[in-house]
Amino acid sequence: MNRVGARQAVSSRTRPVLSGLMPSLPVWFHRWGSPPHVYRLADRLRPWLGWIAALLIAGGAFAGLVLAPPDYLQGDSFRIIYVHVPSAYLGMMAYVLMAAAAAVGFVWRIKLGHAVAVSAAPIGASFTFLALVTGGIWGKPTWGTYWEWGDARLMFELILLFLFLGYLALRAAFDDQDKADRVSAILAVVGVINVPIIHYSVEWWSTLHQGPTISKLDSPSITMDMLAPLLVMIVGFTLCFAWLVLNRLQGQIVERERDARWLRQLVTERTR
Amino acid sequence: MTPRRRRMLLIGSVLLGVVVSAGLALRAFEQNLLYFFSPSEVAAGEVPSERAFRLGGMVLDGSVEREAGSLTVSFVVTDYAHQIPVTYTGVLPDLFQEGQGVVARGRLDPSGHFAAEEVLAKHDENYMPPEVAEAVARGREAQGQ
Amino acid sequence: MTDFLQMGGYAPYVWSAYGITLVVLLLNIWSARRARIQSLARAAETAGEERPRRRPTVRQVQ
């Protein structure tokens, strides 16, 4: 009896400290964390997401380029807003998803969390890159410059890109996937502080970049005929992001579950 | 180099990069927490006299004067409390207009005159079609009368 | 139509911004699909390892 008790004490001590402190998770969470369930769900969702996203982005681009009126001050250069704002928004959302998923993977040792984080990182980096480039292109005819060092909004957006790239570089430094997961998760979670800083940078510091247009709820800053295409584009970009994440996530699940029986079955059924 | 050392080196450099970029960002904003100074801050003498800084505000209505036959332009930047006269030689951005925002980088001479090396336009977060802008302007005029 | 293409004189800016966005989106779609399909192909190789392996013929080695 004594010996068994001692063994139990040892095994409970070697359990990860954090997950011991955290509350246990409800059952649905574990089902959601089950790779075969998520893989099959992704198979069902992917075509819907892809086609709706393509329709919304095509329609939103047409509305933004043709139907929306030119701005009273900026003329037609204002139409860049329809690609710039969705890219910037998705870059930040991708980081929040990456950090949250990495935290879930780190704390509860759910591998799927790390798989989601790895899937979101390159997509988030590309959207952040897009936000920086389209912002520069928009800045030239309006502000008079492509880039302005010292503008808080621009600097923190650049740091967001570096965080994505740093996360990917850090992972590449490990041969052991478990270690890569755990170490890179720390960087992802620490870096999430940058997201609210980006959002509030235009209010906390005096910047060349203007304040928020659509996220403030008081007096409207944009007329409805200009806002509608923007909202369509934001939804379209979000669905496109979801489609991209699901593709990469399925790839990650296949890599990580290569020895699992369900996957072997699935793969042999496919190739047969 | 063993794989372990290579790994430690890579991780170390990534962490160093994060720390350095965070430190640089913070230092930059501490030194220059304000990307630009307002005319009131300039009038209160809160600006550096020996190095260039940025002046931000609105272009005063009716203050823009272009020198004939050159690219030199003079205007007044205001925050509706204080006014600073500015001269600039060069191409102005499309959005440079009376009554619109502007950020000018340059130096203040002892007489309180700002010599700009670069002028950027700052627009606000409001977007509207020309007709709406006209209606808004008419509405303001009607209220003012 | 030419009015539309000229974008009130901002054509280079508007069209380059939309063009780069399209290129980045397409690259994303291509690489995400490729990541999924290649992982499946690699898994199919290792899944086949359990079954009796076919011996490579001399021609295959060459």
Side-chain angles (χ1 to χ4, degrees):
Chain A
M1 273 309 263
N2 237 349
R3 213 175 268 171
V4 174
R7 204 179 292 154
Q8 273 172 350
V10 169
S11 71
S12 72
R13 209 185 303 148
T14 49
R15 279 177 59 203
V17 183
L18 265 174
S19 51
L21 292 172
M22 290 293 170
S24 55
L25 296 164
V27 176
W28 62 265
F29 207 97
H30 285 289
R31 199 156 72 90
W32 272 94
S34 126
H37 178 254
V38 172
Y39 187 93
R40 291 191 189 106
L41 189 70
D43 257 348
R44 278 206 301 275
L45 282 177
R46 247 189 316 112
W48 291 98
L49 284 173
W51 288 115
I52 296 172
L55 276 175
L56 287 178
I57 291 174
F62 177 78
L65 287 168
V66 181
L67 303 181
D71 182 56
Y72 77 105
L73 186 62
Q74 303 184 23
D76 287 311
S77 69
F78 134 90
R79 299 183 192 281
I80 297 173
I81 199 174
Y82 298 116
V83 289
H84 174 70
V85 168
S87 310
Y89 170 76
L90 258 303
M92 286 157 72
M93 284 304 108
Y95 198 94
V96 172
L97 174 70
M98 180 179 100
V104 167
F106 187 91
V107 174
W108 289 290
R109 298 220 153 178
I110 293 175
K111 279 187 183 168
L112 197 74
H114 296 298
V116 171
V118 182
S119 307
I123 310 167
S126 71
F127 278 115
T128 305
F129 169 79
L130 209 49
L132 287 166
V133 172
T134 55
I137 294 172
W138 194 7
K140 187 62 185 171
T142 51
W143 301 338
T145 182
Y146 289 107
W147 182 260
E148 191 68 355
W149 290 106
D151 182 284
R153 172 56 72 82
L154 273 53
M155 295 312 299
F156 286 111
E157 185 73 7
L158 185 63
I159 290 174
L160 182 69
L161 179 62
F162 290 161
L163 279 169
F164 278 124
L165 298 181
Y167 174 85
L168 290 168
L170 193 57
R171 294 195 60 90
F174 291 95
D175 299 324
D176 177 24
Q177 182 156 264
D178 279 349
K179 252 187 195 159
D181 284 344
R182 298 181 66 74
V183 174
S184 63
I186 297 171
L187 177 64
V189 170
V190 170
V192 82
I193 184 72
N194 190 37
V195 173
I197 294 180
I198 292 175
H199 182 79
Y200 289 109
S201 58
V202 287
E203 290 170 21
W204 291 344
W205 293 284
S206 69
T207 56
L208 185 61
H209 196 288
Q210 66 282 4
T213 295
I214 56 171
S215 61
K216 60 176 189 187
L217 296 169
D218 51 331
S219 63
S221 301
I222 181 166
T223 55
M224 200 52 214
D225 46 356
M226 292 168 143
L227 178 62
L230 184 56
L231 296 178
V232 171
M233 282 298 253
I234 288 175
V235 175
F237 268 57
T238 307
L239 296 185
C240 174
F241 172 77
W243 184 91
L244 293 168
V245 169
L246 286 187
N247 268 279
R248 286 185 177 275
L249 178 60
Q250 285 190 308
Q252 280 290 318
I253 290 175
V254 170
E255 297 283 341
R256 287 162 187 258
E257 296 276 302
R258 202 179 275 182
D259 299 326
R261 194 192 287 165
W262 73 270
L263 189 79
R264 280 168 179 268
Q265 262 173 7
L266 183 130
V267 167
T268 45
E269 271 166 30
R270 279 204 171 199
T271 46
R272 206 175 284 158
Chain B
M1 215 190 304
T2 63
R4 189 190 154 85
R5 285 196 60 184
R6 181 178 59 92
R7 199 158 54 231
M8 297 311 282
L9 209 69
L10 245 162
I11 296 161
S13 53
V14 167
L15 285 179
L16 196 74
V18 170
V19 169
V20 166
S21 60
L24 272 178
L26 284 177
R27 214 177 74 95
F29 289 120
E30 217 157 272
Q31 240 178 24
N32 191 7
L33 191 68
L34 293 166
Y35 167 68
F36 58 76
F37 294 91
S38 68
S40 293
E41 286 162 332
V42 174
E46 289 170 18
V47 296
S49 53
E50 69 286 350
R51 64 178 177 88
F53 65 93
R54 292 189 184 87
L55 168 70
M58 302 304 251
V59 180
L60 188 68
D61 275 326
S63 74
V64 178
E65 282 172 27
R66 285 165 210 272
E67 216 171 84
S70 80
L71 283 172
T72 301
V73 59
S74 65
F75 53 91
V76 173
V77 173
T78 178
D79 57 0
Y80 304 110
H82 290 86
Q83 303 185 343
I84 304 290
V86 178
T87 53
Y88 171 68
T89 303
V91 180
L92 290 163
D94 292 359
L95 258 57
F96 179 87
Q97 277 177 29
E98 290 178 357
Q100 286 292 336
V102 72
V103 176
R105 187 169 52 80
R107 286 163 200 276
L108 196 66
D109 66 23
S111 65
H113 196 97
F114 192 81
E117 296 152 17
E118 181 191 41
V119 172
L120 301 176
K122 176 173 165 59
H123 63 84
D124 60 17
E125 65 276 19
N126 300 312
Y127 304 95
M128 52 189 136
E131 312 86 68
V132 177
E134 275 166 33
V136 169
R138 272 201 304 275
R140 281 218 187 103
E141 264 172 43
Q143 267 188 341
Q145 277 165 1
Chain C
M1 189 63 192
T2 46
D3 273 3
F4 170 67
L5 289 177
Q6 278 168 359
M7 278 289 151
Y10 292 113
Y13 302 107
V14 174
W15 294 119
S16 65
Y18 276 76
I20 289 169
T21 303
L22 185 66
V23 168
V24 170
L25 283 182
L26 290 179
L27 278 177
N28 256 319
I29 291 167
W30 172 76
S31 73
R33 267 184 60 105
R34 200 184 59 143
R36 178 173 61 84
I37 290 165
Q38 284 193 341
S39 299
L40 274 172
R42 275 198 293 271
E45 275 172 31
T46 49
E49 273 170 16
E50 255 191 353
R51 285 179 272 164
R53 267 180 153 180
R54 277 181 296 167
R55 293 218 159 257
T57 60
V58 176
R59 189 171 288 165
Q60 274 173 320
V61 169
Q62 280 174 341

